[in-house]
Every structure is written in C-alpha cells, then in structure tokens.
Amino acid sequence: MAYVSPKEIALIIGVVAACYWNSLFCGFVFDDVSAILDNKDLHPSTPLKRLFFNDFWGTPMSEERSHKSYRPLTVLTFRLNYLFSELNAVSYHLLNVIFHAVVCIVFLKVCKLFLDSRSSVVASLLFAVHPIHTEAVTGVVGRAELLSSIFFLAAFLSYTRSKGPENTIVWTPIALTVFLVAVATLCKEQGITVVGICCVYEVFMAQGYTLPILWDTVVQILRGKGSIPYCMLQMLLKLIVLMFSTLLLVVIRVQVIQSQLPVFTRFDNPAAVSPFPARQLTFNYLLPVNAWLLLNPSELCCDWTMGTIPLVETLLDVRNIATITFFCFLGSLLIFSLQYPGDSSKTVLMALCLIVLPFIPASNLFFPVGFVVAERVLYVPSMGFCMLVAHGWRKLSSNSMLRKLSWIFLSLVLFIHALKTLQRNWDWESEYTLFMSALKVNKNNAKLWNNVGHALENEKNFEQALRFFIQATQVQPDDIGAHMNVGRTYKNLNRTKEAEESYLVAKSLMPQIIPGKKYAARVAPNHLNVYINLANLIRANESRLEEADQLYRQAISMRPDFKQAYISRGELLLKMNKPMQAKEAYLRALELDRSNADLWYNLAIVYIELKDPTEALNNFNRALELNPNHKLALFNSALLMQESGNARLRPEAKKRLLDYVKEEPQDANGYFNLGMLAMDDKKDAEAETWMKKAIKLQAGFRSALFNLALLYSQTAKELKALPVLEELLRYYPDHTKGLILKGDILMNQKKDIRGAKECFEKILKMDPNNVQGKHNLCVVYFEERDLLKAEKCLVETLALAPHEEYIQRHLSIVRSKIASLGTGEAPMIPTEKTKAAEGEKATFANLKEVKNEQKTTRTPDSNNKNKGQGKAKKHEEKNNTDKETKKKSTKEIKDIEKKRVAALKRLEEIERILNGE
C-alpha cells in the first residue's frame, strides 16, 4: 500500500486552505436553499428514520415531485451541522473544505499506485486547486460529491488488497469494498461506479492482461484448446461477487425510487425531449463541452440548463467536429492503454476509467438527467484528468531539454488555477453575486435572469426584480415559471391587473384540459402553482370567489394528488362560509399527507368554525405531536384551553404559551395571554410582569394596557393604574372602558369630580345610550349635590336599562334625599347610603378586555422543488403560492369571549355591590 508522508499531507492541507479560506464567508445559495434552509430533515424534531424515506431535498421518495436523489448519509452530515450550529453557514462550508482536503489526500494515495511519488503529488495538487471544484466545495450541496468520493476511493484502495500470495483471494478487503461501495452510493448515486473501476483494475492491473492477450486466452478456451487458467478462475469469482453486489445495490435503489424516474421539464434538459438526431448529436456534443471545462475552466457557470447550449440539430453543425475530435482522442488513448503492456499504459487506462465511468450516470446517454451540464459532477472525473496531466508532465520533465520548461508550465498552471478558484469562491458569496457572474458567461438562459430576479425580490427590490423577470420571458417566451414570477412581482407592487394578465399568460402555456377526458400528461408540479397563484389573487375580490374556486378545482382535476390545491381551496371555502366543504378539502389533503402538521392545524381551525372546540383541540394536539414547535398550534390551542374556562387545562395552556414565547420571543401576544392566564389564577404579581413585558414589546398594546390598569384597580393600586390609563387613552382616546375606569379612579381615589365628569361626558358624546357612562355621570351629579339633575339622569338611565336593580335602588336613594330636604332636614346623605352609593357607582360591566385573536390558518409550504432544473426552490421558478392576509378571529372564539365576559361582569357587579354595602 502506498505511503503518504506527513509533509505531503501538510502540503495538501495548506494548499486547500489557501484556495478555499474565503468560502467560509459565503452563505447558502442556489440549491443550498432547498437542501439546507427548507429541508425539515435537518431539524432534530424530524425522526431520524425519515432521512431514509425522503430524498436529498426532504421530499418523500413516494411523491412524484421528488427528485429521486437518495443520499441519506449526506443529509445526516447536514443534520449534524444543524445540531451544532443550526443554520450558521460557516460550519457547513468549513466541513466541506475539510472533506475536500481528505479527498485530496486519499487521491494522493491512489495516485501512488500508478505514478511515482512526485507525479502523484502533482496530480493531487492539481486536483486540490482545480477551479471546476468550486461548485462541489463552496456550494454546500456539493458535499454529496465530497463524501461519495471519499468512500469511492476508499473502496478502490480496499479492493487493491484483495489479491493474496500466489493469486489467492483475500475476502476481507472484498467485503469491505462492497460495504464502502454501498456507503458511497448512499452519499451520492455515482458511488456505485467504483465497481467498474475495480473490475478494470482486476483484469488489466492485478492479473496483468492486455486486450490482445485476454482475447487470445478466451479464443483458446472457446476452441477447446486449453482449460481456464487458475488465475482467471479466481478473477472471474471476484468479478462475479462484485457484479452480484452491484446488481443487488441497483435493485435496492430502484425499489427506493419505486421504479419511477423524476419529472423534468423540457427547460431543464431540452435535448432530452428532442427528436432524432438532435437528441443524440447534442448529448454527444456535451462530452467535449465537459472535457473543455476540465481543460480550460476560465468561464464557469452555476447553471447550464435551458438555452445555455443550443441544440445540435443536424450533421452539418460545425460543433460536430468537436465531438469527432473528442472521440478520436479518447479512442486513441483507450487503444494505447489496452493494447500495450507497461506502467504507462496502465496509468492511462486507470485515468480513463476515472474520467469515463463515474461520468456515465450524468452523461444522458442511458437515461435523461435534470441538467445539461453540471460542474460538480466533474469532481470525480477530474481525478482521472489530473492523473493524465501529471503522467504527461512526468514524461516531459524526464526529458532534460524540457525539464525546466515543464516545471515553469506546472507552476504557472497551479498558480493560475489557485487564483481562479479563490476568485470563483467570491461568486458564491450570495445568490445575487452568483447569478450575476453566471449571466456574464451566458445571457441565453432564462433561468439565470429569473434567479437574479429572485435574489432582488428577497431584498424587497421589486422594481429591479421585475426587470429581470421580464427579461427572462423575452429570452424564453414559453417559460411558464418566468411569467409566474412576473405576475407575483406585479402583485407585490400592488399592480393586480398586470399580475392577473401575467398569470393568465402562464396559464395559457399549460397543457389544455379536454373536457370529459382524464388528464394523463405528466406536468411539473410547480407549474400547477399558476392556478393557485391566480386563484389567490382574484379571491381578494369578494365577487370572484366562485371563479377562484373553479381554478382550484381545475388544478385538482389535472392532478388529483395536488395537495396544495386542496389546502388553498380549504382556506377559500372557509372564507365563503362553507366549513363542511373546507373540512372535506383538508381531509382529502390529509389522505395525501398525514404527517403534515400544518394540515392538522388548518383542520382544527375548521372545527372552531363548526363550533366543535373539543375536536379542534384534538387536531391542534395532532399538529403538535408531529411538530412540537408548531408556533400557531401552540398559541391557538393554548388560547382555546384558556377560553374554555376549564381550570384543569390552564397548566397545559401556560406550558404551551411558554413554549410559544420561546419560539417567538418578540410576539407580545404570547406574553399578554400568559398575563390573562395569571389573572384567571389570581396570580397578580405574575400577571403584572407578563402584561408589562407585552407592553414593552408592543407600545400601545390596547388590551394589555387596559387589563394592566384593571389589574391595578382590582388589587387596590388604583393610583398606579392612572398612568397606564393615560397611556392607553393617548393611543385610543375613544376607549370606553378605559374612560369608565379612569373616571371611577378619579372620583373615588383622587376626588377629582371634574375630571371624572369629563370622562363620562366623553363616553356619552360617543354613545348616548351607554348605560355605564350615563349611570356614573348620574353619580357625579349626586356628588355635586345637584339632586334634581341626578334624579332626571337616573330616570333616563333606568329607561335604557329598566331591569337593572342597582339603578332603581340609586334612584330611590336620590328621591328619598330630595324628600328629606323638602322637610327641612340637613342636606346630608346618610352614611350607610353614601357608602352604598359609592360602592355601586363604580359598577363596571364588561370591563375585563380580552384579546382573543385567533391566529390565521397556516398553509404548508407549496414550493415544489424541481431539482433537476437546479434543484432549488427559487431557481427556475419561485413556486411560493402568493401569500394572502388571513382572517384574525373566529365565531367560536367570540362566543367563548362573550360568555366569559358576561360571567365576569356579574361577578364584578356582585363583588362591588357587596363591598359597597
């Protein structure tokens, strides 16, 4: 086994660090958004087993929208990153750089099997600095290539030890090879191709055959002129084991994707849907294009889809010369390596195997893939390229006349490549810099214009984003996603007419439905969002709700498994006051995805509309079982428990609200409702703390200000309530209950009769029939000794509320006082009556103000990741269904509030009357 010295390891690590240190300053861009930011499989709350049922992007493998890229071990490393640093991009990039350094060191070990030590270091250094690797190393999702390469090379190194003395078989390295192949494949699919390299190594290196010798041996055996040599039997046995294990891995892989290929649009890979001969000519032309990127990585682009490389449609296309030249050169190298014995031919053969075999899955020659060219898939093939270059450099440097020139040339190449890599890393700093750098290389790719628009859109620069989206529609007029992006941006600019026109253009580009016929075409799921977006736009107009519903139903008719259509339709049906139909829509969506916490949450909201709080709470609980940190479910289930009046539910309600404020520490509503719970439990100090916290977070929080003032008044701290009421009335000068409470404190505590009178008169100016305000004004007249005016006032108040016994009693007191004055008695109110009056004049009905805003229904993420097109949520099309303002309350919550407030009113009245008398 080749030995790698510590000096060589240090050199490689130093070079890698020098080339990629600035990648640590890059964020999550392009496909990282879908694989990292939007991937719930990274979260600790997601069961670990889900990684083995979902694809690389977190989509269940069973769904058609899945990209079918099965890389659970790579996702596991992302999850470990998340565990230690959550979404801190530095740790993700650092781990990628470390993995790249490991690959370079293991590659050096492989090179030493076929090259001398110096040439091996040259190959490894060239591999370390090659600019083509920036996408695999600086792009976080490129970790799939890095991890797969580590196990790929380890599997090969293990296999090289399978030959024992006298051509015996050592089975332990073979078993380890099979295991490492499986691991490499679980990191990325191309890992399985190492089996082919092992087979070539076994035949042409381990056994020493050349093609002519092997051919002669086989012919002799077939003619019966000789038996099969023992060494060949051993070789065949090893190859059978390798091929059987490979076949088993392929069968398992096919079962994982459920025998379905992913859905790609013609924009992802135009040649894949082209007729003969354009399809074959274009795919073959892509081979020299990839080879040129390895040879001259001066113009790199993060996305080569759509119109980047025009189709080669005829044999007369001049680009066919490049294809012919490439195949001639490749064929001559292959003939040389197979025809002649010797170390040089073995090195060339091994290099060709590393170039060709790992590239086969991405070549489009056997099955279509979701891209035209992808730089990161050249990560392993570039090993063979670097080995060829190092081998050629060794040949040149062995010539005394060319030795100095070869060293100069090598130093120049390494230096230029390192500088290019360092500069290319900065392109990956943000999505805007990445896609703008791509547009410098290629302006014929509508997807790049779209992606720059998305980057600007994320910065709320909608005017600039619109220009790029419109340019995308001009570059590719039939790009459905580009027209959807234009429509969404117009909507963000509140230009609804233009938005609707753009959505209608996108809709017209969709395959048309034939009435009465089942829709059978495979449509990219994200394109169906045009129906969702258009419906969401027009349903803002109350007169067009039926039209919006028709669009949702049309999307469902095109794809009965389109979950997002059921969800959006459920929301619309709630708005149309059709809760039973909304319930049916959500139940249908749950049939498609029972593990979606948002769906259970939305169904809970429906049950609230149906006045079934018990079932609503059950569904909130289901949502929290699936996602214990579901913020809206935590908040609204706690609110439902609180408003139920069931004291046994209060501890759980408090726990959920505490969990909610951990998730949303800046939301004053959470602290306010904790304060309300504390008031219910008579924990006055705790209630005061929560209310103050809510007010601190949200200045002018109406309900928190009033209830804090009410809390002070109920705990004999009326003077502390006054500044709180002043703040409340500064924000809300017409707050009736605040005015009543302030008037009461001014009259009973401050003895400010004039101030109290102003409060009650202001109430009556706003609402002449306000019984509370009018009654308390009557009490003010009584305090002013204007008994006749007080009597008249109480008579009018009694007419407004003839069944209120306390008003009748107060009227009797006033009339008896008037009668006593008529008999010449001193104008004094009996002490006990005065107390009674004072006790009852501050009877406040419905004072406790409760903010019971039911938070909006939550629509699950409708971003369908069309990964073949760039595999990122935002790249070809930003498939977010247009967001809408949802309603903030429900009838059930209001009913609960009314019942609770009425009970509080009666309790407060009884307390105050008893205390006064």
Side-chain angles (χ1 to χ4, degrees):
M1 184 62 67
Y3 172 72
V4 178
S5 69
K7 288 184 179 180
E8 292 170 335
I9 294 174
L11 174 64
I12 290 172
I13 291 175
V15 169
V16 169
C19 288
Y20 287 99
W21 63 268
N22 59 338
S23 69
L24 303 182
F25 300 96
C26 299
F28 294 116
V29 297
F30 203 19
D31 295 345
D32 299 345
V33 175
S34 298
I36 309 296
L37 299 183
D38 297 336
N39 192 346
K40 293 181 180 179
D41 287 348
L42 272 63
H43 301 172
S45 59
T46 303
L48 202 60
K49 65 180 182 180
R50 294 306 309 167
L51 273 63
F52 296 90
F53 292 93
N54 295 346
D55 66 14
F56 188 50
W57 318 92
T59 306
M61 295 290 290
S62 57
E63 295 189 12
E64 186 178 1
R65 64 190 178 97
S66 168
H67 188 256
K68 311 301 182 186
S69 47
Y70 188 66
R71 303 162 192 173
L73 296 187
T74 304
V75 179
L76 182 60
T77 66
F78 292 152
R79 186 167 173 137
L80 291 174
N81 271 119
Y82 188 92
L83 184 64
F84 288 106
S85 64
E86 294 194 351
L87 294 176
N88 182 358
V90 174
S91 71
Y92 293 80
H93 289 294
L94 177 61
L95 197 54
N96 270 26
V97 174
I98 292 172
F99 284 147
H100 180 54
V102 172
V103 173
C104 294
I105 293 168
V106 181
F107 176 56
L108 173 60
K109 202 172 184 68
V110 171
C111 287
K112 289 194 172 188
L113 296 175
F114 309 101
L115 296 168
D116 61 58
S117 183
R118 180 179 292 175
S119 301
S120 298
V121 172
V122 168
S124 184
L125 288 176
L126 185 58
F127 180 79
V129 304
H130 203 296
I132 201 72
H133 299 155
T134 51
E135 183 171 344
V137 181
T138 309
V140 177
V141 296
R143 186 176 300 176
E145 269 74 24
L146 305 176
L147 283 173
S148 181
S149 298
I150 292 173
F151 296 108
F152 179 102
L153 295 174
F156 176 72
L157 286 173
S158 176
Y159 187 80
T160 60
R161 294 182 295 173
S162 65
K163 183 179 178 180
E166 298 181 0
N167 218 9
T168 57
I169 300 175
V170 184
W171 288 107
T172 301
I174 293 178
L176 181 59
T177 297
V178 172
F179 171 75
L180 291 172
V181 170
V183 174
T185 306
L186 290 174
C187 294
K188 191 174 182 184
E189 298 78 2
Q190 69 181 25
I192 201 170
T193 59
V194 71
V195 173
I197 295 175
C198 291
C199 292
V200 173
Y201 174 84
E202 176 65 30
V203 174
F204 297 100
M205 281 74 170
Q207 302 301 329
Y209 286 108
T210 61
L211 191 60
I213 294 174
L214 183 64
W215 176 258
D216 289 341
T217 304
V218 171
V219 169
Q220 291 295 326
I221 292 170
L222 292 176
R223 289 178 177 177
K225 295 183 179 180
S227 60
I228 301 177
Y230 174 75
C231 63
M232 183 173 283
L233 286 173
Q234 296 288 78
M235 177 187 76
L236 288 174
L237 182 58
K238 291 166 74 174
L239 294 182
I240 289 171
V241 170
L242 284 177
M243 297 309 296
F244 179 79
S245 61
T246 303
L247 181 62
L248 183 61
L249 286 174
V250 170
V251 170
I252 294 172
R253 183 68 174 82
V254 171
Q255 289 298 314
V256 166
I257 67 173
Q258 300 183 3
S259 304
Q260 289 182 345
L261 288 175
V263 178
F264 298 126
T265 69
R266 59 191 176 85
F267 303 114
D268 300 325
N269 191 348
V273 295
S274 299
F276 177 86
R279 175 188 173 100
Q280 288 71 24
L281 291 175
T282 303
F283 283 157
N284 281 285
Y285 171 68
L286 293 179
L287 299 177
V289 169
N290 281 279
W292 180 250
L293 287 175
L294 289 174
L295 189 63
N296 178 30
S298 59
E299 292 188 342
L300 300 178
C301 182
C302 62
D303 193 294
W304 295 80
T305 56
M306 304 188 89
T308 303
I309 299 177
L311 295 174
V312 181
E313 298 182 297
T314 68
L315 292 171
L316 299 178
D317 194 309
V318 70
R319 289 174 294 175
N320 289 316
I321 297 174
T323 304
I324 295 170
T325 302
F326 170 79
F327 278 107
C328 288
F329 180 72
L330 188 68
S332 62
L333 287 177
L334 190 61
I335 291 171
F336 167 77
S337 61
L338 293 174
Q339 188 80 22
Y340 303 103
D343 292 340
S344 181
S345 60
K346 289 180 180 180
T347 300
V348 172
L349 180 60
M350 205 63 228
L352 289 177
C353 287
L354 283 170
I355 292 173
V356 174
L357 295 180
F359 186 73
I360 286 176
S363 65
N364 284 289
L365 296 177
F366 297 98
F367 48 83
V369 294
F371 53 84
V372 179
V373 172
E375 292 166 11
R376 63 172 172 254
V377 304
L378 293 173
Y379 189 76
V380 176
S382 68
M383 294 178 186
F385 172 78
C386 293
M387 191 181 290
L388 270 181
V389 172
H391 180 60
W393 174 83
R394 184 182 65 174
K395 293 290 186 182
L396 291 175
S397 62
S398 62
N399 186 317
S400 58
M401 297 180 61
L402 299 175
R403 182 177 296 118
K404 185 178 292 187
L405 185 63
S406 66
W407 275 104
I408 293 173
F409 177 76
L410 175 65
S411 301
L412 193 61
V413 168
L414 290 174
F415 180 72
I416 292 174
H417 275 39
L419 281 182
K420 174 65 178 179
T421 298
L422 199 63
Q423 178 269 328
R424 177 64 176 161
N425 288 335
W426 289 121
D427 290 342
W428 289 79
E429 183 178 13
S430 69
E431 295 209 318
Y432 181 78
T433 57
L434 179 64
F435 299 131
M436 285 302 293
S437 70
L439 280 176
K440 293 176 183 176
V441 176
N442 173 32
K443 291 181 171 58
N444 296 321
N445 187 340
K447 188 174 174 183
L448 294 175
W449 294 98
N450 278 320
N451 286 340
V452 176
H454 289 314
L456 292 168
E457 185 181 33
N458 290 336
E459 297 173 359
K460 308 300 181 184
N461 190 348
F462 297 122
E463 291 287 355
Q464 278 281 79
L466 182 62
R467 297 212 319 247
F468 280 89
F469 288 142
I470 290 175
Q471 181 63 35
T473 63
Q474 294 172 352
V475 171
Q476 190 85 37
D478 58 350
D479 182 6
I480 297 172
H483 291 286
M484 290 170 64
N485 292 334
V486 172
R488 185 183 61 256
T489 310
Y490 275 132
K491 183 176 182 292
N492 289 331
L493 292 169
N494 295 317
R495 295 166 64 177
T496 54
K497 182 180 178 182
E498 292 93 334
E500 183 174 351
E501 290 173 354
S502 296
Y503 284 141
L504 288 173
V505 171
K507 181 172 173 286
S508 69
L509 294 171
M510 293 287 290
Q512 299 302 306
I513 298 176
I514 302 174
K517 271 196 167 186
K518 184 178 178 181
Y519 191 79
R522 298 180 83 194
V523 180
N526 54 348
H527 285 172
L528 285 174
N529 278 318
V530 67
Y531 295 97
I532 308 298
N533 291 355
L534 181 56
N536 288 348
L537 178 70
I538 66 175
R539 79 184 200 185
N541 185 339
E542 295 289 337
S543 65
R544 302 182 70 183
L545 297 183
E546 290 292 344
E547 186 180 346
D549 189 34
Q550 175 63 32
L551 285 167
Y552 292 135
R553 284 185 278 125
Q554 188 173 356
I556 291 169
S557 69
M558 295 181 76
R559 286 184 62 94
D561 61 344
F562 189 23
K563 179 178 62 180
Q564 186 56 43
Y566 292 105
I567 295 169
S568 298
R569 185 166 185 250
E571 294 173 4
L572 177 66
L573 291 168
L574 275 178
K575 185 175 182 179
M576 297 170 71
N577 198 25
K578 297 178 179 180
M580 287 303 297
Q581 293 184 41
K583 175 184 169 183
E584 292 174 4
Y586 285 131
L587 288 174
R588 180 70 182 92
L590 280 168
E591 290 177 10
L592 299 170
D593 184 8
R594 297 190 66 81
S595 63
N596 192 313
D598 293 334
L599 284 175
W600 291 105
Y601 171 83
N602 286 2
L603 189 58
I605 299 299
V606 172
Y607 278 113
I608 289 177
E609 290 287 350
L610 293 171
K611 295 183 172 54
D612 190 348
T614 302
E615 194 60 34
L617 188 57
N618 289 337
N619 283 280
F620 279 138
N621 292 339
R622 288 294 299 272
L624 291 170
E625 286 172 10
L626 292 166
N627 180 8
N629 297 322
H630 194 292
K631 291 181 283 191
L632 293 178
L634 285 169
F635 181 88
N636 286 306
S637 62
L639 194 61
L640 199 60
M641 292 175 180
Q642 178 184 355
E643 298 303 334
S644 70
N646 187 341
R648 289 178 298 178
L649 294 176
R650 286 179 193 161
E652 179 62 22
K654 181 178 179 180
K655 178 181 177 297
R656 293 188 182 187
L657 284 172
L658 288 171
D659 289 340
Y660 175 76
V661 296
K662 285 180 184 177
E663 296 291 323
E664 289 287 342
Q666 299 302 313
D667 186 358
N669 290 297
Y671 300 101
F672 167 75
N673 282 281
L674 281 167
M676 297 301 293
L677 272 176
M679 288 180 72
D680 291 341
D681 290 333
K682 306 301 180 186
K683 296 178 181 179
D684 300 330
E686 184 180 334
E688 180 182 356
T689 301
W690 291 124
M691 291 296 182
K692 285 183 176 179
K693 178 73 172 176
I695 294 166
K696 182 179 179 181
L697 286 172
Q698 183 178 324
F701 193 155
R702 175 186 175 118
S703 299
L705 286 166
F706 177 77
N707 281 287
L708 179 59
L710 183 60
L711 177 66
Y712 284 142
S713 72
Q714 291 175 342
T715 54
K717 299 177 182 177
E718 288 87 349
L719 296 182
K720 291 182 71 173
L722 271 179
V724 179
L725 288 169
E726 292 291 348
E727 184 179 354
L728 171 68
L729 294 170
R730 185 170 70 250
Y731 285 102
Y732 309 101
D734 298 337
H735 195 287
T736 302
K737 288 177 281 187
L739 288 167
I740 291 174
L741 184 56
K742 181 183 177 183
D744 171 61
I745 295 173
L746 290 174
M747 184 164 59
N748 292 331
Q749 302 300 320
K750 301 283 286 185
K751 304 305 179 184
D752 183 357
I753 305 300
R754 177 179 295 179
K757 185 176 182 180
E758 289 175 357
C759 290
F760 300 138
E761 286 178 339
K762 184 172 183 179
I763 292 170
L764 292 176
K765 185 176 180 182
M766 295 185 295
D767 180 11
N769 295 324
N770 187 290
V771 175
Q772 274 181 273
K774 196 164 185 68
H775 166 264
N776 290 353
L777 184 60
C778 299
V779 177
V780 170
Y781 293 150
F782 183 88
E783 291 289 336
E784 291 177 340
R785 300 297 189 269
D786 193 341
L787 299 180
L788 293 176
K789 198 168 186 179
E791 180 189 24
K792 181 182 178 185
C793 178
L794 285 168
V795 170
E796 293 172 353
T797 306
L798 188 61
L800 294 172
H803 302 296
E804 293 289 352
E805 185 270 338
Y806 73 94
I807 300 176
Q808 296 175 5
R809 190 163 60 254
H810 288 183
L811 180 58
S812 299
I813 293 171
V814 172
R815 282 176 173 170
S816 66
K817 182 60 184 172
I818 292 172
S820 66
L821 289 175
T823 60
E825 294 182 12
M828 295 273 300
I829 301 177
T831 304
E832 66 273 16
K833 295 295 183 183
T834 303
K835 288 180 180 177
E838 288 177 355
E840 294 179 22
K841 67 191 175 188
T843 301
F844 301 112
N846 197 19
L847 267 187
K848 193 167 187 182
E849 182 174 299
V850 185
K851 183 181 177 69
N852 285 323
E853 283 195 350
Q854 180 70 37
K855 295 212 171 182
T856 179
T857 54
R858 173 168 173 165
T859 303
D861 185 9
S862 64
N863 302 328
N864 298 302
K865 304 173 182 68
N866 187 7
K867 305 302 182 323
Q869 191 174 324
K871 308 154 188 101
K873 172 176 75 175
K874 298 186 293 184
H875 303 147
E876 162 61 1
E877 301 161 16
K878 191 169 185 178
N879 301 316
N880 292 332
T881 37
D882 296 330
K883 297 179 181 177
E884 296 191 356
T885 303
K886 314 283 197 320
K887 60 185 178 182
K888 293 288 185 182
S889 63
T890 66
K891 293 180 181 178
E892 177 62 23
I893 292 298
K894 291 178 181 177
D895 290 343
I896 294 171
E897 179 184 352
K898 288 177 183 177
K899 293 175 184 177
R900 178 181 179 185
V901 170
L904 287 169
K905 171 183 174 181
R906 291 192 293 273
L907 287 172
E908 288 166 353
E909 287 176 357
I910 293 168
E911 272 185 35
R912 291 183 182 276
I913 292 172
L914 290 176
N915 290 337
E917 294 180 348

